[in-house]
Amino acid sequence: MTALVPSGSASVHPHVRILEAVYADLLRLADFAAPDIVLHPAHRGTDDGRVLRGKDAVLAHERNLVRATDGTLVMDTDHIVANGYFGAVLGTLRASRPRTFAMPFCGLWRFADGLIIEHWENAHAPHALQQFLAPPHPADTQG
């Protein structure tokens, strides 16, 4: 079992450092991802088999998240824990565009050979997150 260790400690597992870097800048995920990484998006349904496969698809997903918030997306982390196989991150996703938004999240990660091989995005209310990130619908002009 891996205990939580303060971020400034020298005995922090290297995977904690990777997750700190990723949550500070989501686009850094490409620096630590295996070429065949698998991502399970937060907006998936419980019976939805939708996953993203490969570094390019995962990086495009992260870029779209940042773009959907006009670059205001911040992943505030409260706790990061990791060992040689898994990582877990608890925090709050925040954005100020297209409107102010905040939602708790839990990111789960799987590692192999020092690289991220799988990630499960978990938002407290996936449907609300999907609505927030959806492009605005043009106003109904019929009439």
Short mmCIF file of all heavy atoms in Angstrom, two decimals, residues 61-114:
data_model
loop_
_atom_site.label_atom_id
_atom_site.label_comp_id
_atom_site.label_asym_id
_atom_site.label_seq_id
_atom_site.Cartn_x
_atom_site.Cartn_y
_atom_site.Cartn_z
N HIS A 61 -8.48 14.56 -27.55
CA HIS A 61 -9.53 14.68 -26.53
C HIS A 61 -9.16 15.76 -25.51
O HIS A 61 -9.99 16.61 -25.17
CB HIS A 61 -9.74 13.33 -25.85
CG HIS A 61 -10.64 13.36 -24.68
ND1 HIS A 61 -12.01 13.43 -24.80
CD2 HIS A 61 -10.38 13.33 -23.35
CE1 HIS A 61 -12.56 13.43 -23.60
NE2 HIS A 61 -11.58 13.37 -22.71
N GLU A 62 -7.94 15.73 -25.03
CA GLU A 62 -7.49 16.73 -24.04
C GLU A 62 -7.52 18.13 -24.64
O GLU A 62 -7.95 19.08 -24.00
CB GLU A 62 -6.10 16.38 -23.51
CG GLU A 62 -6.01 15.03 -22.82
CD GLU A 62 -6.92 14.88 -21.62
OE1 GLU A 62 -7.24 15.88 -20.94
OE2 GLU A 62 -7.34 13.74 -21.34
N ARG A 63 -7.04 18.26 -25.89
CA ARG A 63 -7.08 19.58 -26.56
C ARG A 63 -8.51 20.09 -26.68
O ARG A 63 -8.77 21.27 -26.49
CB ARG A 63 -6.45 19.49 -27.94
CG ARG A 63 -4.96 19.48 -27.93
CD ARG A 63 -4.41 19.61 -29.34
NE ARG A 63 -2.98 19.56 -29.31
CZ ARG A 63 -2.24 18.68 -29.98
NH1 ARG A 63 -2.82 17.80 -30.78
NH2 ARG A 63 -0.94 18.69 -29.87
N ASN A 64 -9.45 19.18 -27.00
CA ASN A 64 -10.85 19.58 -27.12
C ASN A 64 -11.43 20.04 -25.78
O ASN A 64 -12.23 20.97 -25.74
CB ASN A 64 -11.69 18.44 -27.70
CG ASN A 64 -11.42 18.24 -29.17
OD1 ASN A 64 -10.98 19.15 -29.88
ND2 ASN A 64 -11.67 17.04 -29.65
N LEU A 65 -11.01 19.41 -24.69
CA LEU A 65 -11.46 19.86 -23.37
C LEU A 65 -10.99 21.29 -23.10
O LEU A 65 -11.76 22.14 -22.65
CB LEU A 65 -10.93 18.94 -22.27
CG LEU A 65 -11.53 17.56 -22.15
CD1 LEU A 65 -10.79 16.75 -21.10
CD2 LEU A 65 -13.01 17.65 -21.81
N VAL A 66 -9.73 21.55 -23.38
CA VAL A 66 -9.18 22.89 -23.17
C VAL A 66 -9.86 23.89 -24.10
O VAL A 66 -10.26 24.98 -23.67
CB VAL A 66 -7.64 22.88 -23.38
CG1 VAL A 66 -7.08 24.29 -23.34
CG2 VAL A 66 -6.97 21.99 -22.33
N ARG A 67 -10.05 23.52 -25.34
CA ARG A 67 -10.69 24.39 -26.33
C ARG A 67 -12.14 24.69 -25.95
O ARG A 67 -12.60 25.82 -26.09
CB ARG A 67 -10.64 23.74 -27.71
CG ARG A 67 -11.05 24.66 -28.85
CD ARG A 67 -10.88 24.00 -30.22
NE ARG A 67 -9.50 23.59 -30.45
CZ ARG A 67 -9.12 22.33 -30.71
NH1 ARG A 67 -9.99 21.36 -30.79
NH2 ARG A 67 -7.85 22.05 -30.91
N ALA A 68 -12.87 23.71 -25.43
CA ALA A 68 -14.28 23.89 -25.08
C ALA A 68 -14.46 24.92 -23.96
O ALA A 68 -15.54 25.49 -23.81
CB ALA A 68 -14.90 22.56 -24.66
N THR A 69 -13.40 25.16 -23.20
CA THR A 69 -13.46 26.14 -22.11
C THR A 69 -12.68 27.41 -22.45
O THR A 69 -12.35 28.19 -21.55
CB THR A 69 -12.90 25.54 -20.81
OG1 THR A 69 -11.51 25.26 -20.98
CG2 THR A 69 -13.65 24.28 -20.41
N ASP A 70 -12.39 27.62 -23.72
CA ASP A 70 -11.60 28.77 -24.16
C ASP A 70 -10.29 28.89 -23.37
O ASP A 70 -9.87 29.98 -23.01
CB ASP A 70 -12.40 30.07 -24.05
CG ASP A 70 -13.54 30.14 -25.04
OD1 ASP A 70 -13.44 29.55 -26.13
OD2 ASP A 70 -14.55 30.80 -24.73
N GLY A 71 -9.70 27.75 -23.07
CA GLY A 71 -8.42 27.73 -22.37
C GLY A 71 -8.51 28.00 -20.88
O GLY A 71 -7.48 28.18 -20.23
N THR A 72 -9.70 27.99 -20.30
CA THR A 72 -9.84 28.31 -18.87
C THR A 72 -9.90 27.08 -17.98
O THR A 72 -10.02 27.21 -16.76
CB THR A 72 -11.10 29.18 -18.61
OG1 THR A 72 -12.28 28.40 -18.90
CG2 THR A 72 -11.07 30.45 -19.44
N LEU A 73 -9.80 25.89 -18.56
CA LEU A 73 -9.90 24.66 -17.79
C LEU A 73 -8.74 24.54 -16.81
O LEU A 73 -7.58 24.70 -17.18
CB LEU A 73 -9.90 23.45 -18.72
CG LEU A 73 -10.01 22.09 -18.05
CD1 LEU A 73 -11.37 21.92 -17.40
CD2 LEU A 73 -9.76 20.99 -19.06
N VAL A 74 -9.08 24.26 -15.55
CA VAL A 74 -8.09 24.03 -14.50
C VAL A 74 -8.51 22.77 -13.76
O VAL A 74 -9.68 22.59 -13.44
CB VAL A 74 -8.02 25.21 -13.51
CG1 VAL A 74 -7.09 24.91 -12.36
CG2 VAL A 74 -7.61 26.49 -14.22
N MET A 75 -7.56 21.90 -13.51
CA MET A 75 -7.81 20.68 -12.74
C MET A 75 -7.14 20.85 -11.39
O MET A 75 -5.96 20.55 -11.23
CB MET A 75 -7.25 19.46 -13.48
CG MET A 75 -7.76 19.28 -14.91
SD MET A 75 -9.50 18.93 -15.04
CE MET A 75 -9.53 17.23 -14.54
N ASP A 76 -7.89 21.39 -10.42
CA ASP A 76 -7.36 21.56 -9.07
C ASP A 76 -7.32 20.21 -8.38
O ASP A 76 -8.34 19.54 -8.25
CB ASP A 76 -8.25 22.50 -8.25
CG ASP A 76 -8.11 23.95 -8.66
OD1 ASP A 76 -7.03 24.33 -9.15
OD2 ASP A 76 -9.07 24.71 -8.47
N THR A 77 -6.13 19.79 -7.94
CA THR A 77 -6.01 18.49 -7.29
C THR A 77 -5.98 18.65 -5.77
O THR A 77 -5.35 19.57 -5.25
CB THR A 77 -4.75 17.76 -7.76
OG1 THR A 77 -3.60 18.54 -7.46
CG2 THR A 77 -4.81 17.47 -9.26
N ASP A 78 -6.67 17.74 -5.11
CA ASP A 78 -6.66 17.69 -3.64
C ASP A 78 -5.73 16.59 -3.14
O ASP A 78 -5.01 16.78 -2.17
CB ASP A 78 -8.07 17.44 -3.10
CG ASP A 78 -9.05 18.55 -3.45
OD1 ASP A 78 -8.63 19.72 -3.48
OD2 ASP A 78 -10.23 18.24 -3.69
N HIS A 79 -5.79 15.43 -3.80
CA HIS A 79 -4.99 14.27 -3.39
C HIS A 79 -4.51 13.52 -4.63
O HIS A 79 -5.28 13.30 -5.56
CB HIS A 79 -5.82 13.30 -2.54
CG HIS A 79 -6.38 13.91 -1.31
ND1 HIS A 79 -5.62 14.22 -0.20
CD2 HIS A 79 -7.64 14.29 -1.01
CE1 HIS A 79 -6.39 14.75 0.72
NE2 HIS A 79 -7.63 14.81 0.26
N ILE A 80 -3.24 13.14 -4.59
CA ILE A 80 -2.67 12.29 -5.63
C ILE A 80 -1.93 11.16 -4.92
O ILE A 80 -1.10 11.40 -4.04
CB ILE A 80 -1.68 13.05 -6.54
CG1 ILE A 80 -2.38 14.20 -7.26
CG2 ILE A 80 -1.04 12.09 -7.55
CD1 ILE A 80 -1.45 15.06 -8.11
N VAL A 81 -2.25 9.94 -5.30
CA VAL A 81 -1.57 8.78 -4.75
C VAL A 81 -1.25 7.84 -5.91
O VAL A 81 -2.02 7.75 -6.87
CB VAL A 81 -2.44 8.09 -3.66
CG1 VAL A 81 -3.73 7.57 -4.22
CG2 VAL A 81 -1.66 7.00 -2.95
N ALA A 82 -0.10 7.19 -5.83
CA ALA A 82 0.28 6.27 -6.91
C ALA A 82 1.28 5.26 -6.40
O ALA A 82 2.00 5.51 -5.42
CB ALA A 82 0.86 7.05 -8.09
N ASN A 83 1.32 4.13 -7.09
CA ASN A 83 2.36 3.14 -6.86
C ASN A 83 2.89 2.72 -8.24
O ASN A 83 2.70 3.45 -9.21
CB ASN A 83 1.84 1.96 -6.02
CG ASN A 83 0.72 1.20 -6.69
OD1 ASN A 83 0.52 1.25 -7.91
ND2 ASN A 83 -0.04 0.45 -5.90
N GLY A 84 3.52 1.58 -8.33
CA GLY A 84 4.10 1.16 -9.60
C GLY A 84 3.08 0.76 -10.65
O GLY A 84 3.44 0.60 -11.82
N TYR A 85 1.83 0.62 -10.26
CA TYR A 85 0.81 0.11 -11.18
C TYR A 85 -0.36 1.06 -11.40
O TYR A 85 -0.90 1.11 -12.51
CB TYR A 85 0.25 -1.22 -10.65
CG TYR A 85 1.33 -2.21 -10.36
CD1 TYR A 85 1.81 -2.37 -9.06
CD2 TYR A 85 1.90 -2.96 -11.38
CE1 TYR A 85 2.83 -3.27 -8.79
CE2 TYR A 85 2.91 -3.87 -11.12
CZ TYR A 85 3.39 -4.02 -9.81
OH TYR A 85 4.40 -4.90 -9.56
N PHE A 86 -0.78 1.77 -10.36
CA PHE A 86 -1.98 2.59 -10.43
C PHE A 86 -1.75 3.96 -9.83
O PHE A 86 -0.85 4.17 -9.01
CB PHE A 86 -3.14 1.93 -9.66
CG PHE A 86 -3.60 0.65 -10.26
CD1 PHE A 86 -3.19 -0.56 -9.71
CD2 PHE A 86 -4.44 0.64 -11.35
CE1 PHE A 86 -3.61 -1.77 -10.26
CE2 PHE A 86 -4.87 -0.56 -11.91
CZ PHE A 86 -4.45 -1.76 -11.37
N GLY A 87 -2.62 4.91 -10.23
CA GLY A 87 -2.65 6.23 -9.62
C GLY A 87 -4.10 6.66 -9.48
O GLY A 87 -4.96 6.23 -10.25
N ALA A 88 -4.35 7.49 -8.48
CA ALA A 88 -5.69 8.06 -8.28
C ALA A 88 -5.53 9.53 -7.92
O ALA A 88 -4.64 9.89 -7.14
CB ALA A 88 -6.44 7.32 -7.19
N VAL A 89 -6.38 10.34 -8.51
CA VAL A 89 -6.32 11.78 -8.28
C VAL A 89 -7.73 12.26 -7.97
O VAL A 89 -8.66 12.01 -8.72
CB VAL A 89 -5.77 12.53 -9.51
CG1 VAL A 89 -5.70 14.02 -9.24
CG2 VAL A 89 -4.40 11.98 -9.90
N LEU A 90 -7.87 12.95 -6.84
CA LEU A 90 -9.14 13.58 -6.46
C LEU A 90 -8.97 15.08 -6.58
O LEU A 90 -7.92 15.62 -6.21
CB LEU A 90 -9.52 13.23 -5.02
CG LEU A 90 -9.74 11.77 -4.70
CD1 LEU A 90 -9.98 11.59 -3.20
CD2 LEU A 90 -10.91 11.22 -5.49
N GLY A 91 -9.99 15.74 -7.10
CA GLY A 91 -9.90 17.19 -7.22
C GLY A 91 -11.18 17.79 -7.75
O GLY A 91 -12.25 17.17 -7.72
N THR A 92 -11.04 19.01 -8.26
CA THR A 92 -12.17 19.75 -8.81
C THR A 92 -11.78 20.30 -10.17
O THR A 92 -10.76 20.98 -10.30
CB THR A 92 -12.59 20.90 -7.88
OG1 THR A 92 -12.87 20.37 -6.58
CG2 THR A 92 -13.82 21.62 -8.41
N LEU A 93 -12.61 19.99 -11.16
CA LEU A 93 -12.46 20.55 -12.50
C LEU A 93 -13.13 21.92 -12.47
O LEU A 93 -14.26 22.04 -12.01
CB LEU A 93 -13.17 19.62 -13.49
CG LEU A 93 -13.22 20.02 -14.94
CD1 LEU A 93 -13.27 18.76 -15.80
CD2 LEU A 93 -14.42 20.88 -15.25
N ARG A 94 -12.42 22.94 -12.94
CA ARG A 94 -12.96 24.30 -12.94
C ARG A 94 -12.75 24.95 -14.30
O ARG A 94 -11.76 24.70 -14.96
CB ARG A 94 -12.27 25.17 -11.89
CG ARG A 94 -12.41 24.69 -10.48
CD ARG A 94 -11.71 25.63 -9.49
NE ARG A 94 -11.60 25.02 -8.19
CZ ARG A 94 -12.59 24.92 -7.33
NH1 ARG A 94 -13.77 25.41 -7.63
NH2 ARG A 94 -12.41 24.35 -6.16
N ALA A 95 -13.71 25.80 -14.67
CA ALA A 95 -13.59 26.59 -15.89
C ALA A 95 -14.40 27.86 -15.70
O ALA A 95 -15.35 27.89 -14.92
CB ALA A 95 -14.09 25.82 -17.10
N SER A 96 -14.03 28.90 -16.43
CA SER A 96 -14.79 30.16 -16.36
C SER A 96 -15.48 30.48 -17.67
O SER A 96 -16.20 31.47 -17.76
CB SER A 96 -13.88 31.31 -15.93
OG SER A 96 -12.80 31.44 -16.83
N ARG A 97 -15.27 29.64 -18.70
CA ARG A 97 -15.94 29.83 -19.98
C ARG A 97 -16.39 28.48 -20.51
O ARG A 97 -15.67 27.51 -20.31
CB ARG A 97 -15.00 30.48 -21.00
CG ARG A 97 -14.69 31.90 -20.66
CD ARG A 97 -13.93 32.53 -21.78
NE ARG A 97 -13.56 33.88 -21.41
CZ ARG A 97 -12.56 34.53 -21.92
NH1 ARG A 97 -11.82 33.96 -22.84
NH2 ARG A 97 -12.29 35.74 -21.54
N PRO A 98 -17.51 28.39 -21.13
CA PRO A 98 -18.40 29.47 -21.53
C PRO A 98 -19.17 30.09 -20.36
O PRO A 98 -19.77 31.14 -20.50
CB PRO A 98 -19.36 28.81 -22.52
CG PRO A 98 -19.34 27.37 -22.18
CD PRO A 98 -17.98 27.10 -21.62
N ARG A 99 -19.13 29.45 -19.19
CA ARG A 99 -19.67 30.02 -17.96
C ARG A 99 -18.86 29.44 -16.80
O ARG A 99 -18.08 28.50 -16.99
CB ARG A 99 -21.16 29.71 -17.81
CG ARG A 99 -21.48 28.25 -17.61
CD ARG A 99 -22.99 28.00 -17.57
NE ARG A 99 -23.32 26.68 -17.10
CZ ARG A 99 -23.16 25.55 -17.76
NH1 ARG A 99 -22.64 25.58 -18.97
NH2 ARG A 99 -23.50 24.40 -17.25
N THR A 100 -19.04 29.97 -15.62
CA THR A 100 -18.34 29.45 -14.46
C THR A 100 -18.85 28.05 -14.15
O THR A 100 -20.07 27.81 -14.14
CB THR A 100 -18.54 30.38 -13.25
OG1 THR A 100 -18.04 31.68 -13.60
CG2 THR A 100 -17.79 29.86 -12.04
N PHE A 101 -17.92 27.13 -13.91
CA PHE A 101 -18.27 25.73 -13.71
C PHE A 101 -17.26 25.11 -12.77
O PHE A 101 -16.06 25.39 -12.84
CB PHE A 101 -18.23 25.02 -15.07
CG PHE A 101 -18.68 23.59 -15.04
CD1 PHE A 101 -20.02 23.27 -15.10
CD2 PHE A 101 -17.75 22.56 -14.96
CE1 PHE A 101 -20.45 21.95 -15.08
CE2 PHE A 101 -18.16 21.24 -14.94
CZ PHE A 101 -19.52 20.93 -15.00
N ALA A 102 -17.73 24.25 -11.87
CA ALA A 102 -16.84 23.50 -10.98
C ALA A 102 -17.50 22.16 -10.69
O ALA A 102 -18.71 22.10 -10.45
CB ALA A 102 -16.59 24.25 -9.68
N MET A 103 -16.71 21.09 -10.74
CA MET A 103 -17.24 19.75 -10.49
C MET A 103 -16.14 18.85 -9.93
O MET A 103 -15.03 18.81 -10.47
CB MET A 103 -17.78 19.13 -11.78
CG MET A 103 -18.32 17.73 -11.58
SD MET A 103 -19.09 17.09 -13.05
CE MET A 103 -20.52 18.15 -13.12
N PRO A 104 -16.44 18.10 -8.87
CA PRO A 104 -15.47 17.13 -8.36
C PRO A 104 -15.18 16.04 -9.39
O PRO A 104 -16.06 15.66 -10.17
CB PRO A 104 -16.17 16.53 -7.13
CG PRO A 104 -17.23 17.51 -6.76
CD PRO A 104 -17.65 18.16 -8.04
N PHE A 105 -13.94 15.56 -9.37
CA PHE A 105 -13.55 14.46 -10.25
C PHE A 105 -12.66 13.48 -9.51
O PHE A 105 -12.08 13.82 -8.47
CB PHE A 105 -12.83 14.96 -11.51
CG PHE A 105 -11.44 15.47 -11.25
CD1 PHE A 105 -10.36 14.59 -11.21
CD2 PHE A 105 -11.20 16.81 -11.03
CE1 PHE A 105 -9.06 15.06 -10.95
CE2 PHE A 105 -9.91 17.29 -10.78
CZ PHE A 105 -8.85 16.41 -10.74
N CYS A 106 -12.55 12.28 -10.07
CA CYS A 106 -11.61 11.28 -9.61
C CYS A 106 -10.99 10.65 -10.85
O CYS A 106 -11.68 9.98 -11.63
CB CYS A 106 -12.30 10.20 -8.77
SG CYS A 106 -11.18 8.85 -8.31
N GLY A 107 -9.73 10.92 -11.08
CA GLY A 107 -9.02 10.33 -12.21
C GLY A 107 -8.32 9.07 -11.76
O GLY A 107 -7.60 9.07 -10.76
N LEU A 108 -8.53 7.99 -12.47
CA LEU A 108 -7.85 6.72 -12.18
C LEU A 108 -6.91 6.42 -13.34
O LEU A 108 -7.27 6.60 -14.51
CB LEU A 108 -8.87 5.60 -12.02
CG LEU A 108 -9.87 5.81 -10.88
CD1 LEU A 108 -10.90 4.71 -10.87
CD2 LEU A 108 -9.16 5.90 -9.55
N TRP A 109 -5.72 5.96 -13.01
CA TRP A 109 -4.66 5.78 -13.99
C TRP A 109 -4.02 4.41 -13.82
O TRP A 109 -3.90 3.90 -12.70
CB TRP A 109 -3.60 6.85 -13.78
CG TRP A 109 -4.14 8.24 -13.87
CD1 TRP A 109 -4.80 8.94 -12.90
CD2 TRP A 109 -4.11 9.09 -15.01
NE1 TRP A 109 -5.16 10.17 -13.36
CE2 TRP A 109 -4.75 10.30 -14.67
CE3 TRP A 109 -3.58 8.95 -16.29
CZ2 TRP A 109 -4.89 11.35 -15.55
CZ3 TRP A 109 -3.71 10.01 -17.17
CH2 TRP A 109 -4.36 11.19 -16.80
N ARG A 110 -3.55 3.85 -14.93
CA ARG A 110 -2.81 2.59 -14.89
C ARG A 110 -1.48 2.82 -15.60
O ARG A 110 -1.43 3.45 -16.66
CB ARG A 110 -3.61 1.48 -15.58
CG ARG A 110 -3.10 0.09 -15.29
CD ARG A 110 -4.15 -0.98 -15.60
NE ARG A 110 -4.51 -1.03 -16.99
CZ ARG A 110 -4.03 -1.90 -17.88
NH1 ARG A 110 -3.13 -2.80 -17.50
NH2 ARG A 110 -4.43 -1.88 -19.13
N PHE A 111 -0.41 2.30 -15.00
CA PHE A 111 0.95 2.50 -15.50
C PHE A 111 1.60 1.16 -15.86
O PHE A 111 1.30 0.14 -15.25
CB PHE A 111 1.82 3.15 -14.43
CG PHE A 111 1.46 4.56 -14.10
CD1 PHE A 111 0.52 4.84 -13.12
CD2 PHE A 111 2.06 5.63 -14.76
CE1 PHE A 111 0.18 6.15 -12.79
CE2 PHE A 111 1.73 6.94 -14.44
CZ PHE A 111 0.79 7.19 -13.46
N ALA A 112 2.50 1.20 -16.81
CA ALA A 112 3.39 0.07 -17.12
C ALA A 112 4.69 0.64 -17.66
O ALA A 112 4.68 1.55 -18.49
CB ALA A 112 2.76 -0.88 -18.13
N ASP A 113 5.79 0.15 -17.17
CA ASP A 113 7.12 0.58 -17.63
C ASP A 113 7.29 2.10 -17.56
O ASP A 113 7.90 2.70 -18.44
CB ASP A 113 7.38 0.08 -19.05
CG ASP A 113 7.34 -1.44 -19.15
OD1 ASP A 113 7.83 -2.10 -18.21
OD2 ASP A 113 6.81 -1.96 -20.15
N GLY A 114 6.70 2.72 -16.52
CA GLY A 114 6.86 4.15 -16.32
C GLY A 114 5.99 5.02 -17.20
O GLY A 114 6.12 6.25 -17.17
#
